[in-house]
Structure formats: C-alpha cells, structure tokens
C-alpha cells in the first residue's frame, strides 16, 4: 500500500493508512458502512456512515475531473461491485471472494479502495474525498454530471481500438503485458475461489458427520454398548475439530490470498481501462493529424488548433500514465507479497494448532484401548 | 538378513513387488509401495503388523509392534509421490479388523520378509524363526492376508485371482505358513457353506463383500485405469477383512471348510453363489428376515432381550447408513478439492511465468509447487476417508445384517421346535396304535429341538457380546489409524508452509 502521507496531508485531515470500515449495518435491503478515520492533527476520530451510493458519488467526482491535466492517464483505484443483501447467484459469482464470509472481505475491499484514493497524489486533492471521509452529513446525492469514462461497458465500435497499434514501445509492451496478466490473475482468482468453496463444503460435511455420530449415542445403555458409545462421542469431537480446522483454513484463504488476488484482478482491469483511454486518445490524435493535413486552407487553422489541443492532452495523459504504471507495478508486488506472507503465516498457524488438537484426540483414543 | 531396501522385493510374501496386472503403476521400488497410508511411514506402531502379542490373553487387541519396529523396511521413506489412483495392496492390509494381524501383505511395518533374499524357502524359514521367538506366549494366532490381485485370462471370461496367505502356529493347519490362490467366487462359496452349516448354531457369520457387475466388467476389459485399480484394491481389502473376521471367530476357525479354503491348493469351483449374485448380501438377508416375519405362529418371548436386540440392531443399521452417506459425500468433496487444487496450482504457475518481478515470479512458481503437493495430501486424505472410514461403516452395515441373520437362526430353531410339538400333538391325537412308536420318535425330536433352541439362545447371547466387543475394538483401531494418517498429513502441511514462508518474505 503506497503511503504518500506527506502529499495527502496537505489535502486531507485524516491519516491515510488506517482508514477503517468497521461495521456494516443492515436495514432491510440497504447496507450502511461505518467508516472510521484518525484525525491528522491532535487526537480523535471521524466516524461517518456511508451507503454504496455515497461511494459511487465519490467515484463519479473523481472520474469527472476534466480540468485536471492528464486525468485520463490515472489508474483509478477500483471500487468493488455493489453488495446486495440477498445476492443472486450471478451477482455472487461476480463478487467472487467479496461475496464470501459475513461481509468482512467486502469491508476490507472498501477499506482498500478508500486508502488508495486518499493516498493518491492527484485524486486526494479532490474535495470530494475530504467530504466523504469527514462530513457527518451524507455527501450530496445530487447527480454528478455524466462522467467521461464508464467502466468496462464500452461500445462495440470502441473495442476495435483496443488492438490499435501503439506508437510507443513502452506502452505497447505494457498493453500486451497487461492483457496477459489480467487474464491470468482473473483465472487464478476464480480457481482459488473454487478451492475455498470446496473447503467450506468439506467443513459442512464434517459438521454433519459430527452431529450424526451424536445420534448414535443412547442414554442408559447396557455396559457392553457403552464402549462403542464412547467411541462415537469421541469421534464426533474429532470431526468437530476437523470442521473447525477446515473452516479456519477457508477463512485464511479468503482473507489473505483471496482478497489479494481479487484486488490484483480489479487493479489490472483498472490499468487496462486507463491504457484503453490512452489508446482512444491516440486514435483521436492520429485522426486529428490526418484531418489537419488533409484540411482545405479554409479549415486548416481550426484543424491545426484541434490537433494541437489533442496533442497536448495526449502528451499529458502519457506522462501521468507512465508514472501511474510504475507506481502500480511496485504496489502490485507489494500487494501480492503481503497477501502471500499473511496467507502463509495464518495457514502455518492453523496447521500447527490443528496438529496439536488432532494429537490430543489421538491420545484420547489410544488411552481408550 | 539382508536389508537392502533398493532390492526388488521378493514375491513371497512381500506385496510391493511388481505385479503382472498392475506393473504399469507399481514400480519395483518398495518405497512407493509403502506410502499410500501415510500413517505407516512415521509410526509403525499404528500399523500393528507383526506377530508378537504383548497381551496374549487379549486375543483381539491392537498390537504394539514394539520389537518389530526396528525391522520395518523402507517404511520411513518420506516419498511424496503417492497417488491415490495407484491403489496398491498395501492399502488393505492397513485395516486390521478384529483379531488377526495381517502383517505379511504390506510393505509397511515390520516385515522382515521384504528384505529377504529371493529364495522363498529361506524366506519362510527366517520368518518362522521370528514367529517362534515372538509368539511364545501366544496361544491363538492366525494371520491372514489377501494380496497380489492378478488378472487371469482375457475378455469376459477373465477373473482376478488373489493370493491368500496364512500364517499360524495352530496345530489344525498342516504347516506354519502357506498360501493359495483364490478368486472372488471362492470367497462367496465359503460363505455359502458356512451359512448352510451354521444355521442352527446361532452364529454371526461374517458377510463377504458384494458382487459388482459394473466394477468387474471394467476390470475384465482392462485393469490399468485408476477406477479399476481402485475397485480391485477395494475388493482386495474387503476380502482380507472378511477372512480376518472369519478366522478370528473361534467356532468358525474350527470349521473344516475354512481350513480347506485356506490350505487346499485346488479348490473346487463354487457354483452356488447365485444367491449372492443379485443385489447382494443384504437383500438376501432381508428376504430371509421377511420370511421369518411372516411366520404365522408368533413367538411369545418370555425374555424380551431378543426383541430388544432386534430393535437395537435395526436402529443401529439405520444410523450407520446415515453415517456412511455423510462420509461418502465427504470423500466426494475431498476428491473435488484435489481437482480444484490442481487447477489452481496450474493457474498460479502461469501467473508466475508471466510475472516480471523475479522474486515474485519465483514465489508464485513455488506456490504452484506447494499447491501441487497439497493436492497429493488431499488425495491421501480422501483415500483415508474412504478406505478407513467409509469401508468400516459399510462393513458394519453388512455385519449388522449378519447379526439379524443370527437372530433369525434362533427364530427358525424355535419354529422347528414348535412344529415338532404340534406334530407330536397330532400324533398323540391320532390312532393309539401309532402313538407308541411315532410318539417316542417325535418326543425325542421335541426334546432335542427344545434343547437346540435353548442352546442357540445362549449362543446368540454370547455372539452378541462378542460382537459388541469386536465392534468397539474395530472402530477404535480404525479411528486411530485414521487419526495417525491425518496427523502425518498435518505435519507435512506444516513442512510445506514453513518452506514457503521464506520465499514469500524474500519478495522485493
């Protein structure tokens, strides 16, 4: 996680690296998130409650900063998809890891989003961020003017541009690499989700077995049956332990590597969108150049103006994009490293705890012989 | 004795030598043969092989393979390459049921055999020496193992022959250790003979494994694919447990048919296995029970013990069925986890390959390898779930059927007595002339049948006690095996994570 506290502090009055989404409150079908951030000066906290619409409001403000030069070159921190109270299976699939657990992974993802926005040198300057984090009133629900760029739903004609050959080797390489990486990361994330879901199924089956074993035990039994009843009781305990172990394993998977892969996937897609915007601007520039060259003397001056403007925009976008890409790459390594280390440490701990518990069960059974 | 573990294990009595039908998947490497049941590797004690019995009085307890531990050969290898699909005969020998301690069939545990030279005679000799030194105190021992499944013949007439190896110092056998080859129908034939003879003895006759047309057809066609191997291994293990239960029953062991089965080189083919050809053993038992239930003369039980027992048995059978269904679904989920883990490992490998940062790329590739190893652990766990737990439950579901069969035997004895009594009555009411002769004949019969009935009643009670004791022991020993296998897996999980952590931390 990039921490540009120095830059951000001039625009935000909160500490960036410990913004927390602490709770989710449910009211019927709507969800409200409690966001807590630490004041920069002095002690104290800001507590605000926000709905998903408020997050969208924030995002729209960030998208629509036309006056910021090269804004289209920014890789926008990805906002997770909307979380529904009773999600359809399709929606659940779309959410992936964020739909698991009891909303904790989702809150973590929202948290990551806010931290990334607050830490971004360009984005944190937007007033909307400060208002979002500190204002006790809900940020205005008024419609923001239509943002320049939508998320992935691009018109079919636009898609052609995606493959448009670049004029710059650096960017062509980045585009190709991003294409590969996005695919692989998404697949890894999906396959890992399958693993976690199966682990949960195993935990449930172990729970069933544990319960069913209890039904084998009868009260007031003949002495010759007591021995077997004891076996059933103890085996039931064993499987309860196995269930707990599996549940922990699945939780660890979810909260560390699962979240990490999810964030990576969405960031790769955000980078893809930025590169696409730049490509579109490139096409626009090349068209403007062509038009200026071909223009009749009457229109020539106007065309040249348009071409110059586009040229400037393109240059600014490229500058910002380059910086953003380099930053993202180091962030990417850092994210995955943290995810992997955290995952490994948690799993190691769970494995050791389970081994200890199983060992005790084994001793119990050996003593029963 | 030679202890080279690299040597190709001798064919007698070791089983991890190359077997004709399975040679593709079984290397001569004895190490690989050991490790399907992970428990064998680190804790030979759990394997309960060997012959010595620390508590000679306790015939059926799990043995502690104390003096034999040192002799374990190739057991302690930490081979990570075991795959569930490569079902090997070692699997079955890890299921010691009630009494007998089959040690010779497995490559795990104390098996001096596997380190012996190729000469079978020398082999037998040395193993005998050990037998003699270790079982001085033991008065009752029969070890039975079913090993070496081999496909005989081709096409639809093919069948699988198993080696049945017996080791015993009991005088009823002609020698101390011997083996014969038997096919599945021979085992069924044995059961047929025993149940025909034992009907009036009130005995719980252990049931054989069920026939399976589907399973066998696949094997006839070819025995090399994983599901065929699994089927053959499952059947081999079940046959072994079946025989172990038979020989651990004091009365059955005395039965000449049992001895013949174990000893005789050429056993006449069993032809009367038709009753077991349908949907199996339990259906047959249920049909018999129904017949008993339809008896017009209802028994007036002065002693409710038998009625209570029948209810208990029926309730328990239902419970075990439920348990079995849950374990079944657990096994399926585990297998699913194997598949998913493998796919995930591949996706991580691809991600690692396309990653620019060197350290991260290496870490991701390492992760892919770790996940591959996890997949193997999951496979072993699934095998454990299946071969230990699921089969244990399935065995006992069938055994409870046999218990019901035993109660039916008593009912039939009662019926025979009642019918004789009514015949006697009729004879007495008939002409006085016949009364004298026929009377005595039928009086004798009535007395005898009444005695039979009482005797059977006592025998059934004894059998129940023995059964409960056996059941508890069986479950305990199987669960211990299961837990030990799980412990081993956990240790390996820990090792994998510990190895990966520094790689993850090294990312920069």
């Amino acid at each position: 996680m990039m921490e540009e506290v120095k830059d951000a502090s001039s625009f935000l009055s909160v500490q960036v690296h410990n913004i927390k989404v602490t709770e989710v409150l449910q009211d019927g079908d709507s969800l409200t998130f409690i966001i807590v951030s630490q004041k920069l000066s002095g002690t104290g906290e800001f507590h605000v409650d926000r709905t998903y619409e408020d997050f969208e409001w924030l995002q729209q403000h960030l998208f629509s900063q036309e006056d910021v030069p090269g804004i289209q070159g920014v890789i926008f921190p990805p906002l997770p998809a909307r979380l529904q109270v009773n999600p359809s299976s399709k929606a659940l699939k779309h959410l992936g890891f964020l739909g698991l657990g009891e909303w904790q992974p989702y809150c973590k993802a929202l948290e990551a989003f806010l931290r990334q926005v607050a830490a971004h040198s360009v984005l944190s300057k937007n007033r909307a961020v400060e208002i979002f984090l500190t204002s006790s009133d809900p940020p205005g629900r008024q419609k923001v003017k239509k943002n320049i760029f939508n998320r992935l739903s691009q018109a079919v004609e636009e898609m052609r541009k995606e493959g448009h050959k670049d004029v710059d080797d650096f960017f062509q390489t980045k585009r190709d690499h991003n294409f590969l990486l996005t695919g692989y990361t998404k697949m890894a994330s999906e396959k890992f989700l399958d693993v976690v879901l199966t682990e949960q199924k195993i935990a449930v089956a172990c729970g069933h077995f544990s319960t069913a074993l209890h039904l084998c035990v009868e009260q007031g039994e003949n002495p010759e049956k007591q021995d077997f009843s004891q076996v059933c009781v103890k085996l039931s305990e064993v499987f309860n332990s196995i269930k707990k172990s599996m549940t922990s394993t699945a939780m660890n998977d979810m909260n560390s590597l699962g979240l990490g892969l999810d964030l990576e996937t969405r960031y790769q897609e955000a980078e893809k969108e930025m590169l696409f915007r730049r490509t579109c601007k490139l096409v626009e520039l090349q068209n403007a150049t062509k038009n200026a060259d071909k223009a009749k003397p009457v229109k020539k001056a106007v065309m040249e103006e348009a071409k110059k403007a586009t040229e400037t925009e393109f240059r600014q976008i490229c500058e910002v994009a380059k910086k953003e890409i380099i930053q993202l790459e180091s962030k990417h390594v850092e994210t995955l490293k943290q995810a992997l280390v955290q995952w490994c440490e948690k799993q190691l701990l769970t494995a050791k705890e389970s081994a200890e518990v199983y060992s005790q069960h084994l001793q119990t059974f050996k003593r029963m012989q | 004795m030679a202890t080279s573990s690299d040597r190709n294990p001798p064919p007698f009595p070791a089983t991890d030598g190359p077997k004709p039908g399975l040679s593709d998947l079984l290397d001569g490497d004895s190490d690989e043969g050991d490790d399907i049941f992970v428990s064998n590797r680190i804790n030979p004690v759990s394997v309960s092989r060997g012959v010595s019995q620390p508590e000679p009085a306790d015939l059926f307890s799990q043995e502690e393979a104390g003096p034999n531990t040192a002799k374990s050969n190739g057991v302690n290898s930490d081979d990570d390459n075991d795959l569930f699909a490569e079902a090997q005969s070692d699997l079955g020998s890890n299921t010691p049921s009630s009494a007998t301690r089959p040690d010779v069939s497995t490559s795990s545990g104390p098996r001096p055999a596997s380190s012996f030279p190729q000469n079978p005679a020398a082999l037998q000799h040395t193993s005998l020496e050990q037998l003699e030194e270790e079982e001085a105190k033991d008065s009752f021992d029969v070890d039975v193992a079913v090993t070496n499944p081999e496909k005989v013949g081709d096409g639809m007439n093919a069948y699988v022959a198993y080696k049945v190896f017996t080791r015993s110092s009991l005088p009823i056998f002609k020698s101390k250790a011997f083996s014969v080859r038997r096919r599945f129908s021979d085992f069924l034939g044995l059961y047929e003979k025993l149940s025909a003879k034992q009907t009036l003895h009130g005995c719980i006759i252990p049931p054989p494994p069920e026939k399976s047309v589907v399973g066998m057809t696949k094997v006839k066609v070819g025995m090399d694919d994983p599901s065929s191997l699994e089927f053959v291994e499952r059947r081999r293990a079940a046959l072994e447990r079946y025989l172990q239960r038979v020989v651990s029953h004091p009365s059955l062991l005395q039965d000449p048919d049992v001895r013949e089965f174990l000893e005789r080189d050429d056993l006449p083919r069993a032809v009367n296995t038709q009753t077991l050809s349908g949907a199996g053993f339990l259906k047959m038992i249920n049909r018999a029970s129904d017949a008993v239930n339809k008896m017009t003369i209802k028994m007036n039980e002065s002693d409710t013990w038998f009625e209570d027992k029948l209810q208990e048995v029926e309730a328990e059978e239902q419970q075990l069925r439920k348990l079995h269904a849950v374990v079944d679904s657990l096994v399926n989920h585990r297998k699913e986890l194997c598949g998913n883990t493998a796919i995930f490992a591949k996706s991580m490998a691809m991600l690692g390959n396309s990653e620019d940062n060197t350290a991260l790329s290496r870490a991701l590739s390492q992760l892919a390898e770790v996940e591959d190893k996890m997949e193997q652990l999951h496979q072993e766990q699934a095998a454990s779930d299946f071969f230990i737990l699921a089969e244990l439950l399935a065995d006992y579901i069938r055994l409870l059927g046999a218990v019901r069969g035993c109660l039916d035997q008593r009912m039939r004895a009662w019926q025979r007595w009642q019918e004789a009594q009514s015949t006697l009555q009729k004879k007495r009411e008939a002409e006085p002339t016949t009364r004298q002769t026929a009377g005595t004949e039928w009086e004798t019969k009535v007395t005898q049948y009444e005695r039979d009935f009482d005797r059977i009643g006592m025998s059934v009670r004894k059998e129940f006690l023995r059964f409960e004791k056996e059941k508890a022991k069986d479950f305990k020993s199987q669960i211990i095996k299961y837990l030990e296998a799980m412990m081993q897996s956990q240790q390996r999980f820990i090792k994998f994570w510990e190895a990966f952590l520094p790689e993850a931390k090294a990312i920069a």
Side-chain angles (χ1 to χ4, degrees), chain B residues 51-85:
Chain B
V51 184
S52 71
Q53 181 62 285
E55 297 156 50
D58 190 351
L59 299 180
F60 306 118
S61 72
Q62 187 75 286
E63 65 183 287
E64 312 283 270
N68 295 328
T69 330
K71 297 188 189 76
S72 49
N73 174 36
V75 167
N76 297 314
S77 70
D78 199 0
D79 192 322
D80 281 359
N81 293 324
D82 314 310
L83 294 180
F84 178 43

Side-chain angles (χ1 to χ4, degrees), chain B residues 21 34 91 93-94 135 170 202-203 209 215 224 228 267 275 284 293 310 343 368 375 379 382 399:
Chain B
D34 293 343
L91 264 170
S93 348
N94 295 334
E135 58 178 12
L170 292 183
C203 176
D224 292 338
S228 289
L267 202 66
T275 44
M284 180 190 81
N293 287 340
L310 181 61
I343 295 175
E375 186 215 342
Q379 294 233 27
L399 272 166

Side-chain angles (χ1 to χ4, degrees), chain A residues 78-105:
Chain A
L79 178 65
R82 177 188 291 270
L83 178 68
Q84 291 157 355
V85 172
N86 289 313
S88 63
S89 55
K90 199 168 160 214
L92 260 183
K93 197 157 189 273
H94 186 53
L95 280 170
F97 279 102
L98 303 187
L100 293 184
E102 309 221 327
W103 301 330
Q104 308 121 340

Side-chain angles (χ1 to χ4, degrees), chain A residues 21-116:
Chain A
V21 176
T22 55
E23 258 185 276
V24 186
L25 304 172
Q26 181 188 350
D27 182 14
D29 266 348
S30 73
L31 295 171
T32 309
F33 304 92
I34 308 296
I35 303 164
V36 175
S37 33
Q38 306 298 315
K39 288 190 176 160
L40 254 190
S41 50
T43 54
E45 300 176 333
F46 288 104
H47 280 243
V48 297
D49 53 271
R50 299 285 179 256
T51 63
Y52 190 77
E53 283 77 22
D54 296 329
F55 278 88
E56 283 181 319
W57 172 91
L58 173 59
Q59 201 183 39
Q60 297 289 12
H61 271 274
L62 299 176
F63 281 168
S64 56
Q65 302 177 87
E66 288 162 347
D67 47 339
V68 175
I71 186 74
Q72 294 192 45
V74 168
I75 300 174
F76 287 84
L79 178 65
R82 177 188 291 270
L83 178 68
Q84 291 157 355
V85 172
N86 289 313
S88 63
S89 55
K90 199 168 160 214
L92 260 183
K93 197 157 189 273
H94 186 53
L95 280 170
F97 279 102
L98 303 187
L100 293 184
E102 309 221 327
W103 301 330
Q104 308 121 340
Y106 192 80
C107 289
K108 281 262 172 290
L110 285 180
E111 218 173 77
F113 169 74
L114 290 175
R115 290 184 190 182
Q116 286 146 12

Side-chain angles (χ1 to χ4, degrees), chain B residues 172-339:
Chain B
I172 55 172
F173 295 110
K174 294 187 191 116
S175 59
K176 298 247 184 235
F178 47 91
S179 74
V180 293
R181 294 199 74 74
R182 296 282 179 257
R183 55 186 291 186
F184 183 66
S185 54
D186 295 332
F187 291 80
L188 295 186
L190 175 64
Y191 175 77
E192 289 280 344
K193 291 187 196 140
L194 290 178
S195 27
K197 277 198 264 177
Q198 293 282 340
T199 42
L200 293 177
H201 296 177
C203 176
I204 299 176
I205 307 163
E210 313 209 350
K211 267 200 182 193
S212 163
V213 175
V214 174
M216 269 319 286
T217 310
K218 277 206 278 191
V219 170
K220 285 184 211 272
V221 168
M223 223 161 81
D224 292 338
D225 61 289
S227 67
S228 289
L229 283 176
E230 197 182 313
F231 172 80
V232 170
E233 173 51 31
R234 186 181 173 183
R235 173 165 279 193
R236 184 210 62 80
L239 289 173
E240 190 173 85
R241 294 194 301 275
Y242 165 62
L243 278 187
Q244 286 165 3
R245 291 191 174 107
V246 168
V247 301
S248 69
H249 193 299
S251 349
L252 292 179
L253 183 57
Q254 302 301 322
D255 193 309
D257 278 325
V258 172
R259 262 178 287 140
E260 188 182 66
F261 181 88
L262 293 174
E263 277 185 325
R264 186 164 162 181
D265 278 320
D266 275 306
L267 202 66
R269 266 203 69 183
V271 291
N272 288 333
T273 58
Q274 297 317 303
T275 44
L276 290 168
S277 64
F281 170 79
L282 279 175
K283 239 196 187 173
M284 180 190 81
I285 288 283
N286 288 337
R287 261 183 264 131
S289 287
D290 286 342
V292 166
N293 287 340
K294 289 196 183 84
M295 280 184 345
T296 45
I297 319 164
K298 270 301 170 194
M299 189 158 164
N300 193 359
E301 288 277 14
S302 49
D303 182 357
T304 53
W305 189 92
F306 293 94
E307 260 171 29
D308 292 343
K309 282 301 166 193
L310 181 61
Q311 281 177 352
E312 274 175 27
V313 167
E314 283 171 346
E316 189 166 358
E317 203 178 313
Q318 288 318 307
Q319 284 163 351
L320 289 186
R321 278 181 196 280
K322 267 193 227 134
L323 290 175
H324 186 266
V326 177
V327 173
D328 231 6
S329 99
L330 176 62
V331 171
N332 286 336
H333 290 319
R334 283 239 209 248
K335 288 187 176 177
E336 199 188 321
L337 184 59
C338 291

Side-chain angles (χ1 to χ4, degrees), chain A residues 352-364:
Chain A
K352 285 184 173 163
E353 286 171 353
S354 301
E356 184 53 46
V357 170
Y358 297 157
S359 173
Q360 287 171 8
H361 284 302
L362 182 57
Q363 295 316 311
T364 306

Side-chain angles (χ1 to χ4, degrees), chain A residues 224 231 284 366:
Chain A
E224 70 255 18
V231 169
E284 195 187 316
K366 284 190 164 162

